[in-house]
Amino acid sequence: MGNLTLVAVIAVLFTLFTETEASAFVYNYERLRIVGLVCSGLLFIGGLCVLLHNKCSRKPKKEDDSSEI
């Protein structure tokens, strides 16, 4: 699932930057702002996944140990 997400993000970013401008020094600030917000959102979600990885992962079941009281 991670590889598919990465490919989708790369495809979206590629389509956002494929249009060429008339001048190399004229920027589309609305598109730049949107791409910045998308990247920051993905980094935020990735950070949350890293922080919550241990809390959400499956823990192995303890075997029934009769020696414990």
Side-chain angles (χ1 to χ4, degrees):
M1 187 69 155
N3 291 337
L4 181 62
T5 305
L6 180 64
V7 170
V9 169
I10 290 173
V12 168
L13 291 176
F14 181 73
T15 57
L16 288 174
F17 289 114
T18 53
E19 294 180 19
T20 57
E21 298 290 332
S23 173
F25 298 104
V26 176
Y27 298 107
N28 185 351
Y29 288 105
E30 183 179 352
R31 182 176 294 166
L32 185 64
R33 183 180 57 121
I34 291 171
V35 171
L37 287 172
V38 168
C39 288
S40 64
L42 290 173
L43 288 172
F44 179 75
I45 291 171
L48 286 179
C49 290
V50 168
L51 289 174
L52 299 176
H53 176 69
N54 289 335
K55 294 181 181 181
C56 297
S57 64
R58 291 185 179 180
K59 296 181 181 173
K61 294 181 179 179
K62 280 189 168 182
E63 293 181 17
D64 190 21
D65 191 5
S66 60
S67 65
E68 291 182 334
I69 298 177

